[in-house]
């Protein structure tokens, strides 16, 4: 006789976790300490263009520029309600600030209009250069008494601001989650368990982001909030299981039973979310892979803490959970189920119309690939300044043209051709910047021309030309006669600067006022010319992103490329990155939509083993997604493309859980109820879970949309919150009707997966049963059984044991042993 039934693998694992909870507490404590220390190790990338494919022009051009040229810091500053004379005086003062190389301002309408002055300030250093930061601070102090709108990235840490905003969002979100959990929990102390578990998971995830080379500012900002919202289901499932088991079992045994049953259930639930997130990893735009890795890791840590840490918290706070139990605060929603039954015949045409309309209008959703002009509910000081300047003076579309250096004649030729195009407002490069007396910087001059230009003795000019020819090893040109030897003005000026410093000769004594130009040229050299590449700036009168703009970028290549056959010519700017992003979007959109739906439908087929049911669930959520994006079509508000792709994946992967929960309850109830009765009861049973998970994700995403000024993150939050809300409505008010209407078809399209057939056991009399039973026990049964059967058994026992016992014996379900009535345990 077996005195103690064998435990299955899940029970053994659960027992180990519960009994070794103090060991897990210690391990998590060390992990938390490490994670807090490691959080600053994470490198955050603020430029999403770095995630473009290596074969895009933007990516290649950025590599060239970062290796060869520097990008000077700039600022656009508008002063409102100032006179022109005051603006001129302030221009002179700003030009004297540290690090400022030039302040562009004049009396044209481009710089002075309606008593508003626009200054375009250029700095000698890059945006992060200490001199640039100090100079910008001096300018702010100078303009403090005035109504100033300052649009600049100098001194502005977008990542730090976004981190602060997301911290506030987490605090508010935690408060709202607390309220939601109070409504749906069974004990107030359960909420403490939830918060402790989520807090540990979030810190562990943040502290391990350093394992990636770098993560995007988007992933860094939204991961913690989405982790909280997406993983709340797992903790709720385990906690409710514990409450159910604890009604008849002691805390330890209840926790073991709950965890053993919740392990497969939670794992299956997480698969849809993980599969939706994983689909982003297949995007051509590598930001998708970045977000997929961070979010999947976040879900993995949430699962790990729910499985290995939360059982310990449940044991730790079990007494407090018992003392703080409360009545169910959520009301029954019988009216939803009854409404579904009454309107079931209207559901199909309504669903078909919603699906068709959603598909049609979502396909016309306006997209954008640059977020500069997007407005958010919360705006930073820079965004407010940009909008004010845009309203008064408009915007300019600037692109940088990077070409191999040295061919000044070619530069002059194509710059002149570009400047003559109607799409171009102006161009600027060394080859069209006037030096003095009608000469541009790249004009070649003889010694005589140069001496006359700057008032230098001809003999000194000849000596300079000879020195230049020797330094450049141009002996042949020198021997041909210095009077015919010509040197580009820019090259000669820069040679003079270096040579005179080496010889300790004063430039002012030789060149007089012309020496002031050399300092400006030295500053310009770092940003406009290197040993390998030259950069020119083209100002377009075309919008940032349009078909005409993208076409003209090709036209620029057609004009410039012939001058540099087989060499690299790059056009860089917001318009170029928009074109590259738009080209990858069409592919990524198809990949995300198909893969996320494909992964999820595989899971649904495996879960429910019904083709029609899987199609219905996918159809409901996909319709929700299309309806979500259709709203942008009607409002005309462009949707940033990253928001579209990520929300598509997350909404399909996460919101499908609501449909799964409702369908599972319906199928279970239908075994002993009619479909009409089953759907009423199923909605009642599923509503707390749908309400809890759905409302937390909706509110958390909405808070992100309303409380952050970063346009990309704000749009993702707004659209995800809206999409989740639409999914909840579809699951509660459309899916129930479809389940009742297609109940018979769902059954007829069900299939069975071939599994190993277990031997059937036959027994009659009194027996102790511990395990999963399928078969006839005085009537057909399939259930997890722990107890005593008085009757006839003709069934397979998938796990556990059956033990015949006599009338003078008892079976104790709490410790799974057989006892003599009134006696001791028997082995």
């Amino acid at each position: 006789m077996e005195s103690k039934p064998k435990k299955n693998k899940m029970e053994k694992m659960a027992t180990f976790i519960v009994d070794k909870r103090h060991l897990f507490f210690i391990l998590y404590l060390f992990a938390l300490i490490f994670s807090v220390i490691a959080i600053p190790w994470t490198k955050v990338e603020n430029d999403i263009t770095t995630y473009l494919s290596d074969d895009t022009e933007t990516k290649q051009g950025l590599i060239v520029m970062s290796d060869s040229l520097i990008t000077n810091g700039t600022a656009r500053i508008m002063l409102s309600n100032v006179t022109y004379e005051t603006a001129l005086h302030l221009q002179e003062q700003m030009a004297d600030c540290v690090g400022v190389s030039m302040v562009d301002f004049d009396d044209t309408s481009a710089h002075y209009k309606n008593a508003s002055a626009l200054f375009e300030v250029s700095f000698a250093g890059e945006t992060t250069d200490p001199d640039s930061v100090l100079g910008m601070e001096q300018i702010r102090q100078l303009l403090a008494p005035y109504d100033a709108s300052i649009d600049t990235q100098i001194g502005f840490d977008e990542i730090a601001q976004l981190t602060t905003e997301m911290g506030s969002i987490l605090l508010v979100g935690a408060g709202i989650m607390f309220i939601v959990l109070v409504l749906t929990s069974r004990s107030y102390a359960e909420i403490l368990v939830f918060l402790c578990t989520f807090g540990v998971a979030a810190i562990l995830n943040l502290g391990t982001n350093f394992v990636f080379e770098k993560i995007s500012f988007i992933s860094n900002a939204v991961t913690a909030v989405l982790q909280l919202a997406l993983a709340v289901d797992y903790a709720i499932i385990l906690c409710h299981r514990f409450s159910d088991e604890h009604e008849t079992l002691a805390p330890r045994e209840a926790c073991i039973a709950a965890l053993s049953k919740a392990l497969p259930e939670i794992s299956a639930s997480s698969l849809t979310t993980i599969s939706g997130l994983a689909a982003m990893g297949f995007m051509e735009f590598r930001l998708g892979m970045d977000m997929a890795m961070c979010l999947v890791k976040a879900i993995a840590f949430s699962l790990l803490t729910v499985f290995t840490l939360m059982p310990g918290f449940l044991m730790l706070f079990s007494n407090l959970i018992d003392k703080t139990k409360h009545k169910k605060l959520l009301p029954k929603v019988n009216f939803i189920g009854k409404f579904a039954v009454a309107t079931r015949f209207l559901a199909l045409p309504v669903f078909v119309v919603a699906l068709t309309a959603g598909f049609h209008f979502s396909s016309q959703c306006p997209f954008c690939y640059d977020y500069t002009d997007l407005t958010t509910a919360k705006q930073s000081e820079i965004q407010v300044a940009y909008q004010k300047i845009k309203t008064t003076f408009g915007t300019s579309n600037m692109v940088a043209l990077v070409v191999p250096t040295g061919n000044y004649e070619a530069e002059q030729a194509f710059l002149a051709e570009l400047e003559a195009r109607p799409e171009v407002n102006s161009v600027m490069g060394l080859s069209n910047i006037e030096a003095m007396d009608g000469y541009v910087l790249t004009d070649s001059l003889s010694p005589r021309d140069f001496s006359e230009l700057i008032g230098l003795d001809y003999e000194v000019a000849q000596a300079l030309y000879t020195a230049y020819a020797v330094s450049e090893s141009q002996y042949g040109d020198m021997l041909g006669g210095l009077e015919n030897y010509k040197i580009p003005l820019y090259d000669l000026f820069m040679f003079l600067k270096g040579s005179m410093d080496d010889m300790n000769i004063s430039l002012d004594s030789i060149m007089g006022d012309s020496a002031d130009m050399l300092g400006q040229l030295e500053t310009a050299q770092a940003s406009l010319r290197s040993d390998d590449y030259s950069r020119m700036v083209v100002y377009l009168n075309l919008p940032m992103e349009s078909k005409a703009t993208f076409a003209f970028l090709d036209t620029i290549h057609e004009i410039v490329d012939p001058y540099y056959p087989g060499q690299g010519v790059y056009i860089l700017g917001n318009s170029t990155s928009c074109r590259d992003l738009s080209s990858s979007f069409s592919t990524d959109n198809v990949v995300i939509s198909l893969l996320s739906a494909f992964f999820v439908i595989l899971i649904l087929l495996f879960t429910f083993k019904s083709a029609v049911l899987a199609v219905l669930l996918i159809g409901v959520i996909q319709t929700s997604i299309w309806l979500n994006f259709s709203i942008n079509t009607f409002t005309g508000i462009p949707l940033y493309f990253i928001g579209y792709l990520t929300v598509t994946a997350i909404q399909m992967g996460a919101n499908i859980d609501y449909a799964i929960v409702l369908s599972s309850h319906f199928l279970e109830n239908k075994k002993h109820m009619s479909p009409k009765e089953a759907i009423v009861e199923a909605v009642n049973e599923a509503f707390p879970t749908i309400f809890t998970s759905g409302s937390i994700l909706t509110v958390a995403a909405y808070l992100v949309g309303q409380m952050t000024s970063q346009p990309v993150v704000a749009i993702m939050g707004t659209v995800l919150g809206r999409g989740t809300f639409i999914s909840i409505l579809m699951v509660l008010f459309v899916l129930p009707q479809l389940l009742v209407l297609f109940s018979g078809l769902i059954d007829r399209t069900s299939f069975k997966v071939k599994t190993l057939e277990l031997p059937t056991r036959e027994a009659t009399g009194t027996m102790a049963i511990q395990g999963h039973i399928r078969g006839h026990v005085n009537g057909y049964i399939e259930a997890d059984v722990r107890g005593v059967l008085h009757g006839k058994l003709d069934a397979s026992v998938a796990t556990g044991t059956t033990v015949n016992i006599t009338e003078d014996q008892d079976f104790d379900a709490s410790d799974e042993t057989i006892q003599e009535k009134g006696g001791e345990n028997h082995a």
Side-chain angles (χ1 to χ4, degrees):
M1 179 182 294
E2 297 182 31
S3 62
K4 196 169 185 178
K6 294 182 179 179
K7 296 181 180 180
N8 60 41
K9 292 181 179 180
M10 289 297 177
E11 291 172 328
K12 290 179 180 179
M13 186 184 302
T15 301
F16 176 81
I17 293 172
V18 173
D19 289 345
K20 301 297 182 181
R21 58 188 179 279
H22 296 103
L23 173 62
F24 282 106
F25 283 153
I26 295 173
L27 293 175
Y28 273 105
L29 178 61
F30 284 116
L32 279 174
I33 295 172
F34 173 81
S35 296
V36 171
I37 296 173
I39 286 175
W41 300 351
T42 302
K43 296 180 180 179
V44 180
E45 176 58 63
N46 197 35
D47 184 6
I48 64 172
T49 59
T50 59
Y51 294 95
L52 284 166
S53 174
D54 291 339
D55 59 359
T56 59
E57 182 174 16
T58 298
K59 186 67 173 289
Q60 294 174 355
L62 286 173
I63 293 173
V64 167
M65 284 213 308
S66 63
D67 292 343
S68 305
L69 301 160
I70 71 167
T71 301
N72 300 102
T74 61
R76 298 181 81 213
I77 302 173
M78 185 181 76
L79 295 183
S80 303
N81 304 312
V82 294
T83 64
Y84 180 71
E85 290 72 20
T86 301
L88 278 176
H89 179 63
L90 290 171
Q91 178 191 17
E92 296 174 359
Q93 292 181 289
M94 283 189 282
D96 293 334
C97 291
V98 174
V100 175
S101 61
M102 182 176 64
V103 180
D104 191 11
F105 174 73
D106 52 40
D107 60 354
T108 64
S109 60
H111 291 102
Y112 191 78
K113 181 193 300 183
N114 301 328
S116 294
L118 178 64
F119 305 94
E120 295 179 301
V121 184
S122 299
F123 291 80
E126 296 180 297
T127 301
T128 56
D129 188 280
D131 283 347
S132 300
V133 175
L134 177 59
M136 194 65 242
E137 183 58 32
Q138 291 178 346
I139 291 175
R140 290 182 185 276
Q141 294 176 4
L142 173 66
L143 302 179
Y146 300 91
D147 183 6
S149 301
I150 303 176
D151 178 17
T152 182
Q153 292 296 316
I154 299 175
F156 175 66
D157 190 340
E158 185 177 27
I159 295 176
Q161 176 173 304
L162 186 56
T163 301
T164 302
E165 291 173 346
M166 297 309 295
S168 300
I169 291 170
L170 275 174
L171 289 177
V172 177
I176 293 175
M177 186 183 77
F178 178 85
I179 296 173
V180 173
L181 291 176
V182 166
L183 294 174
T184 58
S185 66
R186 303 176 185 181
S187 167
Y188 295 116
E190 290 178 358
I191 302 170
L192 180 61
V193 174
F194 291 150
L195 294 179
C196 290
T197 304
F198 290 140
V200 172
I203 293 174
L204 291 180
N205 187 57
L206 289 173
T208 54
N209 280 333
F210 73 91
V211 299
F212 306 124
E213 181 180 356
K214 59 183 177 181
I215 64 173
S216 69
F217 71 95
I218 298 176
S219 299
N220 189 55
V222 304
T223 297
V225 177
L226 291 180
Q227 180 184 15
L228 174 68
L230 294 174
V232 67
D233 286 354
Y234 315 146
I236 291 174
I237 290 172
L238 178 57
C239 196
H240 285 182
R241 279 283 189 183
F242 174 76
S243 297
D244 293 338
E245 299 292 338
H246 191 33
E247 290 179 1
T248 57
L249 298 175
R252 174 185 174 275
E253 287 70 26
C255 202
I256 293 172
L259 183 57
S260 64
K261 294 176 181 178
L263 274 167
E265 185 177 353
I266 294 173
S267 299
S269 175
S270 66
L271 282 177
T272 55
T273 303
I274 292 174
S275 64
L277 297 174
M280 294 193 295
F282 293 89
M283 288 169 52
E284 181 180 341
F285 186 40
R286 303 317 294 164
L287 180 62
M289 175 61 78
D290 177 83
M291 294 190 67
M293 291 189 302
C294 291
L295 288 171
V296 168
K297 181 166 70 70
I299 298 299
F301 272 114
S302 295
L303 287 170
L304 183 65
T305 53
V306 167
F307 288 154
T308 61
L309 181 62
M310 190 174 173
F313 284 142
L314 289 172
M315 290 290 295
L316 183 65
F317 298 113
S318 60
N319 290 334
L320 189 60
I321 290 173
D322 292 339
K323 294 177 182 178
T324 58
K325 286 184 178 181
H326 60 78
K327 295 180 180 180
K328 293 182 179 179
L329 301 179
L330 282 183
K332 285 187 173 293
V333 288
N334 290 328
F335 70 94
I336 296 179
K338 293 178 180 178
F339 175 78
V341 173
T343 60
R344 63 189 182 280
F345 296 111
L346 296 176
L348 184 58
V350 170
F351 176 65
V352 171
V353 169
L355 186 149
T356 305
F359 173 77
H360 172 73
F361 290 112
S362 65
S363 64
Q364 299 179 19
C365 176
F367 297 106
C368 63
Y369 305 93
D370 178 79
Y371 57 82
T372 306
D373 287 322
L374 294 177
T375 57
T376 55
K378 178 182 178 181
Q379 293 205 312
S380 66
E381 179 185 346
I382 294 177
Q383 289 170 308
V384 172
Y386 172 81
Q387 293 298 332
K388 287 184 177 180
I389 296 173
K390 176 184 175 182
T391 301
T392 305
F393 291 98
T395 60
S396 59
N397 185 6
M398 182 192 75
V399 296
L401 180 60
V402 180
V403 301
T405 195
N407 192 344
Y408 294 135
E409 293 181 358
E411 291 178 16
Q412 287 181 335
F414 67 68
L415 284 179
E417 188 174 352
L418 285 174
E419 197 164 21
R421 295 285 306 199
E423 298 91 347
V424 176
N425 284 332
S426 63
V427 296
M428 184 187 73
L430 291 177
S431 296
N432 73 342
I433 296 178
E434 184 176 347
M436 56 181 69
D437 296 344
Y439 287 108
V440 297
L441 286 174
T442 55
D443 281 341
S444 296
L445 278 70
S446 66
R448 177 70 64 184
D449 295 332
F450 184 69
S451 65
E452 293 175 354
L453 177 66
I454 65 172
L456 184 68
D457 289 341
Y458 179 61
E459 291 77 11
V460 176
Q462 286 182 311
L464 290 173
Y465 270 61
T466 300
Y468 179 87
V470 171
S471 70
E472 298 296 320
S473 302
Q474 296 178 355
Y475 303 108
D477 295 330
M478 182 178 62
L479 293 175
L482 280 178
E483 65 275 6
N484 297 319
Y485 180 38
K486 294 185 176 182
I487 302 173
L489 190 57
Y490 172 81
D491 292 348
L492 188 56
F493 274 152
M494 297 312 298
F495 171 73
L496 274 172
K497 173 68 175 174
S499 299
M500 295 302 100
D501 287 345
D502 291 341
M503 295 182 225
N504 199 24
I505 300 174
S506 170
L507 289 170
D508 291 332
S509 63
I510 296 180
M511 301 180 60
D513 294 338
S514 301
D516 294 337
M517 183 187 303
L518 295 183
Q520 298 178 0
L521 288 177
E522 189 174 35
T523 299
Q525 181 188 30
S527 60
L528 295 179
R529 186 180 184 275
S530 70
D531 293 338
D532 300 314
Y533 288 94
S534 294
R535 176 167 56 191
M536 285 139 274
V537 179
V538 183
Y539 292 92
L540 307 178
N541 56 28
L542 296 169
M544 197 77 69
E545 47 183 300
S546 68
K547 291 182 179 179
T549 305
F550 297 160
F552 188 67
L553 295 178
D554 294 332
T555 301
I556 295 177
H557 272 294
E558 293 172 1
I559 293 173
V560 179
D561 286 356
Y563 291 98
Y564 304 94
Q567 302 180 65
V569 174
Y570 305 99
I571 304 172
L572 297 171
N574 288 343
S575 291
T576 310
S577 62
C578 287
R579 181 193 60 185
D580 292 339
L581 291 170
S582 66
S583 64
S584 67
F585 171 70
S586 56
T587 302
D588 289 340
N589 185 23
V590 174
V591 169
I592 288 289
S593 299
L594 292 181
L595 284 183
S596 59
F598 175 73
F599 290 152
V600 170
I601 202 168
L602 281 182
I603 296 170
L604 294 178
L605 286 172
F606 178 79
T607 302
F608 293 112
K609 302 178 181 64
S610 172
V612 167
L613 183 57
V615 171
L616 282 179
L617 300 190
I618 285 288
V620 167
I621 300 302
Q622 186 61 64
T623 301
S624 302
I625 294 173
W626 286 334
L627 291 176
N628 184 20
F629 297 132
S630 296
I631 293 176
N632 286 81
T633 301
F634 290 109
T635 61
I637 299 175
L639 179 60
Y640 191 63
F641 78 106
I642 285 297
Y644 183 92
L645 295 174
T646 54
V647 171
T648 296
I650 295 174
Q651 193 175 346
M652 176 59 75
N655 293 175
I656 195 72
D657 284 349
Y658 313 150
I660 292 174
V661 169
L662 179 61
S663 301
S664 298
H665 283 288
F666 172 71
L667 293 180
E668 185 65 29
N669 291 331
K670 203 175 65 165
K671 293 177 181 179
H672 52 85
M673 296 181 182
S674 69
K676 297 178 184 179
E677 295 172 327
I679 198 61
V680 175
E681 188 63 26
V683 173
N684 263 327
E685 294 170 346
F687 180 73
T689 302
I690 296 173
F691 174 80
T692 306
S693 178
S695 60
I696 289 176
L697 181 54
T698 300
V699 172
Y702 179 78
L703 288 175
V704 170
Q706 297 298 307
M707 295 180 63
T708 180
S709 58
Q710 213 296 323
V712 178
V713 177
I715 287 172
M716 284 177 55
T718 299
V719 179
L720 179 58
R722 187 178 68 196
T724 300
F725 181 71
I726 294 173
S727 295
I728 293 172
L729 294 180
M730 289 288 292
V731 168
L732 290 178
F733 294 100
V734 175
L735 181 59
Q737 288 91 325
L738 296 177
L739 291 176
V740 175
L741 189 63
F742 291 99
S743 176
L745 193 56
I746 290 171
D747 293 338
R748 287 194 292 272
T749 58
S750 296
F751 57 89
K752 293 184 178 180
V753 179
K754 289 185 178 180
T755 58
L756 178 64
E757 292 294 332
L758 296 173
T760 299
R761 302 183 186 183
E762 296 185 8
T764 302
T766 301
M767 63 204 78
I769 300 178
Q770 165 69 25
H772 184 83
I773 309 301
R774 174 182 294 175
H776 294 274
V777 185
N778 282 343
Y780 187 76
I781 182 174
E782 178 178 350
D784 291 323
V785 177
R786 175 184 288 142
V788 178
L789 169 66
H790 298 277
K792 181 180 180 180
L793 172 70
D794 180 13
S796 61
V797 182
T799 59
T801 61
T802 61
V803 181
N804 291 326
I805 61 177
T806 62
E807 292 184 359
D808 59 344
Q809 292 177 320
D810 283 332
F811 177 70
D812 188 346
S814 63
D815 63 7
E816 302 170 359
T817 61
I818 299 173
Q819 297 177 320
E820 298 290 346
K821 290 184 178 180
E824 297 180 351
N825 292 352
H826 287 262

